[in-house]
Amino acid sequence: MNKNYLKYLIRNYRVALLFYAVVAIGISSAPLITSDGSFGNYSVSIQFMLIMSIVMTYVLPVLLFSFVHRRRSADLYFALPISRKEQLITNLLFAFGCIFGVFVLGAFILYIPSASAVRFVYVLKMIAAAALCFASLILIHSAWNLIANNLFDGIVMIAAWSVLPLLIYLAITSFASTMVAGQSTHSIPEIGMWLSPLAMSIRNLFNVSDEIFEPSIPYFILIALWGVIGAIGCGYHFINRKSERAEQLSDDPLAYPLIINTYAFGILIILADEFVSERSMELISLYLLLLFVYVVAQFVYRRKIRITPKILITFGLWTAAAFVFASTAFYTRGFGLADRYSINDNTHIKISYNATVSRDDLTQPAVYEETLQDQTVYLEAQMFMPVAEYVKDENLYNALEKYRRAGIDAFYSGKTEYNLGLMFTNCSGQGYDYTNNYSYFLNEAITLDDLKTIDKSPYASVTIWDPTRDSTLTLTEWLNQKGK
C-alpha cells in the first residue's frame, strides 16, 4: 500500500464518502427512530446497512478503476512513481475501508438505542461476517470491471458476470423439468448459489442478521474462494495491463467473446429443451428475437452494425448444438437420469397420489378439458412412513414402483392429458429437511386393487372428495356407499 496515494484517494473522495455515510446511517436508523429498540428493529436496520454496503461493492470498483478505461488518465496514473501492485492494493484497501468502515460505524451507532435487546457478541459476529463478504465482493467486482477496456463495458461485464449464475440456474432447471421425468430439483438452487458470491453473501449475511437461521459455513468458504479468484483476476488484469488498452474494444477472452456466446448458448439450450419436449412451433418467433438480440450484442461489442456470415453461421451452429443436446437428452431419458431414483436420502418418505376421476369409476381419469363437477370426484392417497417400513411392505412398494415407472414412460410419450399426479419425497421424521422430490403425471389411474393395497397400510389414507356434496369419504366408505 502507498500512503501518499491513499491520502490522495481520501482527499479526492472525502465529500462523497461523508455523504454516503450520512445517508446510509440515516436511512438505516429509520426503523429505530419510528419504533422501539427491539432486536427485530435493530435487525431490520442492519439489513438496510447491508443492502447499501453491497450496492457500494459494485459502485466503488467502477469509480476507483475508471482511470484505466480512459486513455489520458491511464497514461497519467500508470506513470505515477508507485508500483502497479501498490496502486492496486491501495485502491482495493480504500474501497474496503470505505464500505466496511461505514458499516461498522453504523452497526455501533444503531446498537446504542438497542443495547438492552441486542447482545454485543451478535454485533461482532455480524461485523466479522460482513468483513469477509465485502472483501470478496470488492475483489471479484473489481476483477470483472478490469476485464473490459472502457468504462461502459466495465459496467456491462460486472452486470453480465453477476447475472450469469441465474442463467445457469435457469438452464439447469429447464433441463430437469423438460428432459428428466420426475427428477428431483431440490439441489438445483444450490448450484446457482455456489456460482454467485453475491447470492451466498446475501443469504449468509441476512441469516446472521436475523439470528434465527444459521449461516452456511460452506458458503463462507466458497465466498472466500471467490475472493481469491477475484484477487488473482485483479492482479492479472491490472498489474500486467497495458495503458493502450484504454478505450479499445473489450475483446479479452473473458469479456464480450465469452459473455455473448455463453448467454446465447444458455438461452438456446432453454428454448431447445422446450421445443423438443413440447414440440411447439410458437417458439420460432423467440429464435428470431434471440437472433436480433445476438446481432445487437455484437454491435455493443464492436461499436458498429455488421451482419456478417460469420455472425449468422456462429448463431446457427449454437442453435444446432442446442438442438442436438436437447434431442439426445430427451431420447436417452435425460441421459439416463430419469431412471436414477433414491428413497434412502433421508429417514422417511412422503408419497401422494392426487387424481381427478369419474364419479362412477375411480379408475377412470377425467380429461382436463372435459372435467365437470357433477361427473367427477377428487381422489387423494397420502402416505408418510419410515423408508425401512416402505421397503419392507413389498405389495405397497411394488405397486407404487410400477406406477412410478409408468409415469416415466408417460413423460416421454408426451401424452399426459389427465390430472393424475404421483409424488415421492424424502424427508426427516418431522416432515422437514426435504432431500428429493420426484413428481410424475400418469396416463392411467391407479387400479382399485392397488388403491386397496395402499389403504391397507397403517401409514396411508385414501379419501374421496365429492364437490357436489362437499363431503369427504374414506375409500371404504365410498365403496360401501357404491355397494362394492
Side-chain angles (χ1 to χ4, degrees):
M1 184 181 72
N2 187 284
K3 293 182 180 179
N4 291 328
Y5 187 56
L6 179 61
K7 291 178 182 178
Y8 161 75
L9 291 176
I10 294 173
R11 186 169 60 252
N12 194 42
Y13 290 100
R14 64 180 183 275
V15 175
L17 177 58
L18 179 61
F19 176 77
Y20 164 65
V22 171
V23 171
I25 297 173
I27 292 175
S28 300
S29 301
L32 294 175
I33 294 173
T34 58
S35 55
D36 59 13
S38 65
F39 176 84
N41 290 322
Y42 180 77
S43 176
V44 172
S45 295
I46 284 294
Q47 289 174 5
F48 277 126
M49 285 292 300
L50 287 173
I51 292 171
M52 286 182 282
S53 299
I54 289 172
V55 170
M56 289 300 291
T57 66
Y58 283 92
V59 174
L60 274 184
V62 173
L63 292 177
L64 293 175
F65 291 106
S66 62
F67 69 87
V68 305
H69 298 314
R70 295 192 293 264
R71 191 167 299 162
R72 288 185 179 181
S73 59
D75 292 334
L76 175 63
Y77 276 76
F78 286 148
L80 293 174
I82 58 176
S83 69
R84 294 278 188 92
K85 184 177 180 181
E86 284 183 316
Q87 201 171 16
L88 173 63
I89 292 175
T90 305
N91 272 325
L92 292 173
L93 287 178
F94 176 76
F96 177 76
C98 290
I99 297 171
F100 183 65
V102 171
F103 178 81
V104 172
L105 179 64
F108 284 139
I109 291 176
L110 297 172
Y111 173 73
I112 295 172
S114 307
S116 61
V118 179
R119 293 180 299 129
F120 188 68
V121 67
Y122 159 79
V123 181
L124 296 178
K125 186 166 65 172
M126 186 74 251
I127 289 173
L132 172 62
C133 295
F134 294 164
S136 178
L137 291 175
I138 290 169
L139 287 167
I140 198 66
H141 294 162
S142 298
W144 289 339
N145 179 50
L146 291 169
I147 290 172
N149 292 338
N150 62 72
L151 186 59
F152 173 78
D153 290 347
I155 296 172
V156 172
M157 287 303 107
I158 293 176
W161 278 98
S162 296
V163 176
L164 187 58
L166 176 61
L167 175 66
I168 294 173
Y169 162 71
L170 293 175
I172 296 174
T173 301
S174 171
F175 174 81
S177 62
T178 59
M179 297 288 113
V180 187
Q183 181 63 32
S184 170
T185 58
H186 176 77
S187 62
I188 289 177
E190 287 299 305
I191 297 173
M193 294 290 288
W194 299 336
L195 297 175
S196 175
L198 173 64
M200 288 189 294
S201 295
I202 292 175
R203 174 72 68 83
N204 264 8
L205 290 175
F206 273 62
N207 281 355
V208 173
S209 70
D210 278 341
E211 211 180 29
I212 297 174
F213 304 102
E214 286 295 322
S216 169
I217 300 302
Y219 280 2
F220 279 130
I221 295 172
L222 287 172
I223 290 168
L225 178 60
W226 273 108
V228 172
I229 294 172
I232 295 171
C234 286
Y236 177 79
H237 285 284
F238 187 86
I239 295 175
N240 302 317
R241 193 182 194 88
K242 295 180 180 179
S243 60
E244 55 264 29
R245 280 181 57 180
E247 299 182 16
Q248 300 298 312
L249 295 179
S250 300
D251 56 358
D252 186 274
L254 296 177
Y256 282 116
L258 177 64
I259 288 296
I260 291 175
N261 288 293
T262 300
Y263 270 80
F265 187 64
I267 296 172
L268 284 168
I269 284 289
I270 294 172
L271 291 178
D273 289 344
E274 295 290 337
F275 191 92
V276 170
S277 63
E278 300 294 334
R279 294 162 175 82
S280 174
M281 300 303 292
E282 296 176 1
L283 294 173
I284 292 177
S285 60
L286 294 179
Y287 280 98
L288 296 176
L289 176 61
L290 182 58
L291 175 59
F292 172 75
V293 173
Y294 187 78
V295 172
V296 171
Q298 296 292 338
F299 163 71
V300 174
Y301 167 29
R302 302 185 182 280
R303 302 296 191 271
K304 56 184 176 181
I305 298 177
R306 291 179 60 193
I307 305 178
T308 63
K310 181 180 179 181
I311 292 176
L312 298 177
I313 290 172
T314 301
F315 184 83
L317 289 175
W318 285 130
T319 303
F323 265 106
V324 170
F325 173 84
S327 300
T328 304
F330 192 80
Y331 292 107
T332 57
R333 300 164 84 95
F335 300 116
L337 292 174
D339 295 317
R340 294 183 60 184
Y341 169 70
S342 173
I343 58 171
N344 298 310
D345 295 339
N346 217 321
T347 59
H348 286 64
I349 187 168
K350 282 184 176 181
I351 305 172
S352 62
Y353 169 66
N354 298 280
T356 303
V357 293
S358 168
R359 177 186 302 276
D360 299 322
D361 185 355
L362 299 181
T363 64
Q364 180 61 45
V367 180
Y368 283 121
E369 292 79 4
E370 299 176 356
T371 300
L372 299 174
Q373 276 198 346
D374 60 343
Q375 299 177 9
T376 60
V377 292
Y378 302 96
L379 188 149
E380 181 179 70
Q382 295 287 343
M383 289 150 276
F384 178 66
M385 66 190 78
V387 171
E389 293 296 322
Y390 175 59
V391 175
K392 188 188 300 183
D393 191 337
E394 293 186 6
N395 291 332
L396 178 64
Y397 178 84
N398 291 335
L400 291 173
E401 181 67 8
K402 175 180 63 178
Y403 291 105
R404 187 189 71 81
R405 294 194 173 279
I408 296 176
D409 295 335
F411 180 90
Y412 293 105
S413 71
K415 298 178 180 179
T416 51
E417 57 182 337
Y418 302 121
N419 191 6
L420 306 172
L422 182 62
M423 181 181 294
F424 299 78
T425 305
N426 265 147
C427 53
S428 66
Q430 291 75 36
Y432 305 110
D433 300 326
Y434 295 93
T435 49
N436 57 42
N437 183 18
Y438 302 94
S439 183
Y440 307 91
F441 285 99
L442 308 178
N443 277 335
E444 296 182 1
I446 293 180
T447 65
L448 189 58
D449 288 340
D450 288 332
L451 285 175
K452 291 178 179 178
T453 298
I454 295 172
D455 198 41
K456 288 178 183 178
S457 171
Y459 300 99
S461 68
V462 181
T463 59
I464 298 95
W465 179 60
D466 185 348
T468 60
R469 300 179 181 178
D470 193 20
S471 62
T472 301
L473 302 176
T474 65
L475 178 63
T476 302
E477 291 171 340
W478 180 269
L479 294 177
N480 290 337
Q481 188 181 81
K482 295 293 182 178
K484 297 182 181 180

